[in-house]
Amino acid sequence: MRDTVTAVYEIESALPLEAVAEVMAGEQSCGTFVAVARETAELRARHAATVRSVEELPLSGATPLPGAAGEATEIRRGRVTIDFPLVNFGPSLPSLLAAVAGNLFELREAAALRLVDLDLPAAFADAYPGPQFGVTGTRRLAGRAEGPLLGTIVKPSIGLSIDELCALVAELAEAGIDFIKDDELQANPPGLPLAKRVPAVMEVLKRTAERTGHMPMYAFNITDDIDRLAYHHDLVRDAGGSCVMVCLNSVGLAGTDYLRRRCELPIHGHRAGFGAYSRSPQLGIAFRAFQKLARLAGADHLHTNGIANKFYESDDEVLASIRDVRTPLLGGYAALPVLSSGQTPGLAHATYEAVGTQDLLVLAGGGIHGHPDGSAAGVRAMREAWASALDGEPLDSRAAAVPELATALATFGRR
Amino acid sequence: MRDTVTAVYEIESALPLEAVAEVMAGEQSCGTFVAVARETAELRARHAATVRSVEELPLSGATPLPGAAGEATEIRRGRVTIDFPLVNFGPSLPSLLAAVAGNLFELREAAALRLVDLDLPAAFADAYPGPQFGVTGTRRLAGRAEGPLLGTIVKPSIGLSIDELCALVAELAEAGIDFIKDDELQANPPGLPLAKRVPAVMEVLKRTAERTGHMPMYAFNITDDIDRLAYHHDLVRDAGGSCVMVCLNSVGLAGTDYLRRRCELPIHGHRAGFGAYSRSPQLGIAFRAFQKLARLAGADHLHTNGIANKFYESDDEVLASIRDVRTPLLGGYAALPVLSSGQTPGLAHATYEAVGTQDLLVLAGGGIHGHPDGSAAGVRAMREAWASALDGEPLDSRAAAVPELATALATFGRR
């Protein structure tokens, strides 16, 4: 039997959906728009992608993509499942992308075309080591054996002086936070380069840890040209740091894999830019497919957003993303979902009830730094909110005992 | 004065467009959703992105993106121009992407959000070498000083045996083609790896060149993990090859730049996957912005599609893309537009009239291989069609003298 990659698409077309599925399979394997010499039956048997199923779905109601063939009134929607022979590309993520997520988005036959899921053969597990630390390794390095890891993002995102940054990091570390990250906008800017930021921040974290006995994980954003990734990683490692962060779409999945193969620290995978190819329901790549590729490429932490966030996704979509990241891939590839964007203490109970797991990294930026009594009070409020959720204690009862939590709820609201 | 990157967006929103523009500038520089400590006026003066202009545009009529705030009936469309301080990211393509094309696609404030253009400061020219060969170098290596370079894609895309591939390459080389490329689906598959394909193809090309005195450029598709790019490039170079190809979106712009810094051959940049973030008019990144980034990353050849192609773009869009690739960037970065998809001899006159330049690489896959008298006849027909277009001779008059051209027109039609 052929080893195959199975790709699932949601499409719309005014043409018969079965015919469109055949065009997709043909264009993305051995066909072109006219019959050509040497395209033998034997070649097709070995290399042709094959349509496994076409199921009709209710129409989305969204405008057809530009250039779509046929009459708009004839459009139907369907889920198309196609098997691609592994022999066409081998277990190579970049080559896989050209096959399952390449030219086909441009086909006139499609009024909508979205890659929603991928099922990969074991050969990919042999080729890609994937997350090196995952949930367990991250808990160990962050010193938080149970409960959700609570984190924050340095704010303002950019522009702090090194002294201001160090003061903020000291305050957060003193407050007992588990995780601090650079903003996705703060990478290696000329004014505050990693060469200056990494040793200064690590010095603060070590000094604080001497007193508190606990050092938070700090994700340094090392997003940059490929040739600087290993250098910046080594800088973090050598300074005693425990995490590096990259914007997955900026360095690319191939760039993430390149880093992974040289990496001795967890990789915090930020999804900035994901919306460009995923927010339209008519086009692109859905989170379920994307997160599998990102985990293969080595991301230990993956942003899913959280409920009630400031971005476009519904709570149901966010919760599905969290489940996706926690679902084993090829028998492993455990990664930690990162709940972020607009997260506040008032969301802890609703989140825990919906996800049913403590294996989460919950980030609050404004929800911590914007606390009227300062960042330390913000951390305390988040911690108490989550502790009460895990204990099954109502939020109000805990807030009555913890003034920082009461203030946070009054300031940021609740779900 | 601050060095800035100017980014132009087309947006839709039910909220006042000016307010949305301010949110975009804030979210993508030093703001977050609540005021935070240490966000001083001085910090903002240095690091805040600023809205330069907001111009109203006619509505697109397309469905608003999911999660968009406000009432659909209130939606307006506008062009927003924002200046991002260079100091926030420095001249780093990956960091630039996180700022101008990162989280903002996910904003609820936007019912549509598309990056349509970028104006970059000179610092990027100092940081990125860009195309090494461009038009001039490609002409030199392909041995075609004037007229469009005529090329083709190996078809069937995948599945040929090494002997079949060599026979096809010999036939095309004998026919006097300027350029041959692997399909974007044919990279380094286990059945026909580059280590086997490169020496065999180069041997055929050399043997043919000894007789014909002319060796076409062959673009070997080396798309793969980053760690294999330099190895595969060296394989091509050492075998006497003159071009490497990558799928820009599969290896990433950062991966392309990584290759460029180790490359001694022109880089043929394929855009497979571009549609995923560009086909919706409501979202993503337009070709004008994309091609600037791809040229900075080092692509010598850039796919624009051709007129009357089998994909979604209108002829006007294709022609604008060809103009974009030919427009100097930061005073240079000359790249060669690659016209492909459904190209046939019958399009030569219409194309030449519309683009007004010979500095083109025109690829025909099925339009050459599908010629009833074989690939060599297909090449002859393409060459004669273009020669007559450049000579100002009507297509019919040339077809009357060249049977291969007459057959091609009868088979594939004309514009």
Side-chain angles (χ1 to χ4, degrees):
Chain A
M1 217 188 78
R2 308 191 302 181
D3 250 351
T4 55
V5 166
T6 304
V8 184
Y9 301 91
E10 288 179 8
I11 68 167
E12 294 189 0
S13 183
L15 312 177
L17 297 181
E18 294 71 15
V20 179
E22 290 298 338
V23 169
M24 292 166 64
E27 281 286 333
Q28 297 306 117
S29 60
C30 45
T32 185
F33 73 110
V34 293
V36 300
R38 302 185 177 88
E39 191 183 328
T40 61
E42 189 191 340
L43 183 149
R44 290 190 56 79
R46 190 168 156 79
H47 295 280
T50 52
V51 177
R52 184 193 286 195
S53 65
V54 179
E55 305 157 61
E56 186 136 4
L57 297 175
L59 271 180
S60 71
T63 320
L65 292 173
E71 294 299 319
T73 52
E74 309 270 295
I75 287 177
R76 290 155 62 213
R77 186 173 183 87
R79 180 179 291 112
V80 169
T81 303
I82 298 179
D83 288 330
F84 292 83
L86 179 65
V87 72
N88 290 2
F89 34 75
S92 163
L93 277 186
S95 297
L96 169 73
L97 284 174
V100 302
N103 278 350
L104 80 179
F105 297 111
E106 303 200 24
L107 289 174
R108 280 193 194 278
E109 285 83 352
L113 197 154
R114 184 166 170 84
L115 174 65
V116 295
D117 202 0
L118 277 174
D119 191 13
L120 301 166
F124 279 90
D126 299 333
Y128 292 94
Q132 191 173 185
F133 293 86
V135 178
T136 314
T138 298
R139 283 194 178 283
R140 179 171 46 81
L141 291 173
R144 173 69 54 192
E146 349 187 273
L149 290 103
L150 298 182
T152 191
I153 306 134
V154 170
K155 297 279 177 186
S157 317
I158 46 180
L160 292 179
S161 70
I162 189 74
D163 291 340
E164 290 170 319
L165 175 62
C166 287
L168 175 59
V169 169
E171 185 183 333
L172 291 164
E174 290 279 359
I177 204 156
D178 303 314
F179 181 95
I180 308 171
K181 70 179 270 292
D182 287 330
D183 195 88
E184 85 276 5
L185 300 171
Q186 172 78 291
N188 191 38
L192 194 56
L194 287 159
K196 187 169 168 183
R197 194 157 92 242
V198 171
V201 165
M202 289 313 302
E203 172 64 28
V204 170
L205 290 176
K206 284 176 193 167
R207 218 166 48 219
T208 315
E210 282 169 19
R211 277 201 307 282
T212 63
H214 177 254
M215 188 190 288
M217 176 176 279
Y218 191 107
F220 290 97
N221 180 4
I222 65 169
T223 302
D224 207 340
D225 294 336
I226 305 283
D227 276 314
R228 295 199 191 115
L229 294 178
Y231 173 78
H232 288 324
H233 163 272
D234 294 354
L235 197 68
V236 174
R237 179 202 58 197
D238 294 347
S242 60
C243 189
V244 291
M245 159 178 164
V246 286
C247 294
L248 302 167
N249 294 298
S250 296
V251 302
L253 291 172
T256 304
D257 169 61
Y258 174 91
L259 171 63
R260 165 63 182 86
R261 292 175 194 274
R262 290 150 177 81
C263 202
E264 298 169 38
L265 303 171
I267 297 175
H268 185 83
H270 197 284
R271 74 182 217 181
F274 171 72
Y277 57 82
S278 200
R279 184 166 174 183
S280 168
Q282 299 290 79
L283 189 64
I285 302 176
F287 187 80
R288 177 166 293 172
F290 162 73
Q291 58 88 27
K292 289 186 179 179
L293 299 168
R295 285 156 71 189
L296 271 178
D300 290 281
H301 309 160
L302 270 172
H303 282 237
T304 58
N305 287 331
I307 61 168
N309 70 71
K310 64 185 172 183
F311 293 126
Y312 72 96
E313 289 175 310
S314 67
D315 287 354
D316 282 349
E317 289 173 297
V318 166
L319 295 171
S321 295
I322 295 169
R323 273 194 302 275
D324 285 341
V325 170
R326 291 178 35 79
T327 302
L329 169 65
L330 292 164
Y333 293 88
L336 184 64
V338 182
L339 284 59
S340 63
S341 175
Q343 298 302 291
T344 66
L347 300 174
H349 286 67
T351 300
Y352 185 57
E353 189 179 326
V355 300
T357 178
Q358 309 178 17
D359 287 339
L360 306 169
L361 171 51
V362 182
L363 301 182
I368 283 182
H369 301 292
H371 193 289
D373 302 322
S375 302
V379 173
R380 175 96 205 274
M382 281 292 284
R383 181 77 68 202
E384 293 288 338
W386 273 93
S388 62
L390 267 56
D391 294 345
E393 179 187 348
L395 194 55
D396 284 326
S397 122
R398 185 70 62 114
V402 182
E404 295 92 334
L405 179 54
T407 303
L409 296 178
T411 307
F412 303 122
R414 61 198 297 172
R415 172 60 62 90
Chain B
M1 216 188 76
R2 308 191 300 182
D3 252 350
T4 56
V5 167
T6 304
V8 184
Y9 301 90
E10 288 179 6
I11 68 168
E12 293 188 359
S13 184
L15 311 176
L17 297 181
E18 294 72 15
V20 179
E22 291 297 339
V23 169
M24 292 166 65
E27 282 287 333
Q28 297 307 116
S29 61
C30 44
T32 185
F33 73 110
V34 292
V36 299
R38 302 183 177 90
E39 192 184 327
T40 61
E42 189 190 341
L43 182 150
R44 291 191 56 80
R46 190 168 157 78
H47 295 280
T50 53
V51 178
R52 184 193 284 194
S53 64
V54 180
E55 307 157 60
E56 186 136 3
L57 297 174
L59 271 180
S60 72
T63 320
L65 292 173
E71 294 299 317
T73 52
E74 308 270 295
I75 288 178
R76 291 155 61 213
R77 187 174 181 87
R79 180 179 290 111
V80 169
T81 304
I82 298 178
D83 289 330
F84 293 84
L86 179 64
V87 72
N88 290 3
F89 34 76
S92 162
L93 276 186
S95 297
L96 170 72
L97 284 175
V100 302
N103 278 350
L104 80 180
F105 297 112
E106 302 200 25
L107 289 174
R108 279 193 195 277
E109 286 82 353
L113 198 155
R114 185 167 168 83
L115 174 65
V116 295
D117 202 0
L118 277 174
D119 190 13
L120 301 167
F124 278 90
D126 299 334
Y128 291 94
Q132 191 174 184
F133 293 86
V135 178
T136 314
T138 298
R139 283 194 178 284
R140 177 171 48 80
L141 290 174
R144 173 70 55 192
E146 1 186 83
L149 290 103
L150 297 182
T152 192
I153 305 134
V154 170
K155 297 280 178 186
S157 318
I158 47 181
L160 292 179
S161 70
I162 190 73
D163 291 341
E164 290 170 318
L165 175 63
C166 288
L168 175 60
V169 168
E171 184 182 335
L172 291 164
E174 290 280 358
I177 204 154
D178 303 316
F179 181 93
I180 307 171
K181 69 180 271 291
D182 287 330
D183 195 87
E184 86 276 5
L185 300 172
Q186 173 78 292
N188 191 39
L192 195 56
L194 287 159
K196 186 168 171 184
R197 195 156 93 242
V198 171
V201 165
M202 289 312 303
E203 172 64 28
V204 171
L205 290 176
K206 285 176 192 165
R207 217 166 50 221
T208 315
E210 281 169 18
R211 281 200 307 282
T212 63
H214 176 254
M215 188 191 289
M217 177 176 279
Y218 190 107
F220 290 99
N221 180 6
I222 64 169
T223 301
D224 207 340
D225 294 336
I226 305 284
D227 276 313
R228 296 199 191 114
L229 294 177
Y231 172 78
H232 287 323
H233 162 273
D234 294 353
L235 197 68
V236 175
R237 179 201 59 198
D238 294 347
S242 59
C243 189
V244 290
M245 159 178 164
V246 286
C247 294
L248 301 168
N249 293 300
S250 297
V251 302
L253 292 172
T256 304
D257 169 62
Y258 174 92
L259 171 63
R260 165 63 183 88
R261 292 175 193 273
R262 289 150 178 82
C263 200
E264 298 169 37
L265 304 171
I267 297 175
H268 186 83
H270 196 284
R271 74 182 216 182
F274 171 72
Y277 57 82
S278 200
R279 184 165 175 185
S280 167
Q282 299 290 77
L283 190 64
I285 303 176
F287 187 80
R288 175 165 295 172
F290 163 73
Q291 58 88 28
K292 289 186 179 179
L293 298 168
R295 286 155 72 190
L296 271 177
D300 290 281
H301 309 160
L302 269 172
H303 282 237
T304 58
N305 287 330
I307 62 169
N309 70 70
K310 65 183 171 183
F311 293 127
Y312 73 97
E313 289 175 311
S314 68
D315 287 355
D316 282 349
E317 289 172 297
V318 166
L319 295 170
S321 295
I322 296 169
R323 274 195 302 275
D324 285 342
V325 170
R326 291 178 36 77
T327 303
L329 169 66
L330 292 165
Y333 293 88
L336 183 63
V338 183
L339 284 58
S340 63
S341 173
Q343 298 302 289
T344 65
L347 300 174
H349 286 68
T351 299
Y352 185 57
E353 189 178 325
V355 301
T357 178
Q358 309 178 18
D359 287 340
L360 306 169
L361 171 52
V362 182
L363 300 184
I368 282 182
H369 301 292
H371 193 289
D373 302 323
S375 301
V379 173
R380 176 99 205 274
M382 280 293 285
R383 179 80 67 205
E384 293 289 338
W386 273 92
S388 63
L390 267 55
D391 293 345
E393 179 186 348
L395 193 55
D396 284 326
S397 122
R398 186 68 62 112
V402 182
E404 294 93 334
L405 179 54
T407 302
L409 296 178
T411 306
F412 303 122
R414 61 198 297 174
R415 172 61 61 91

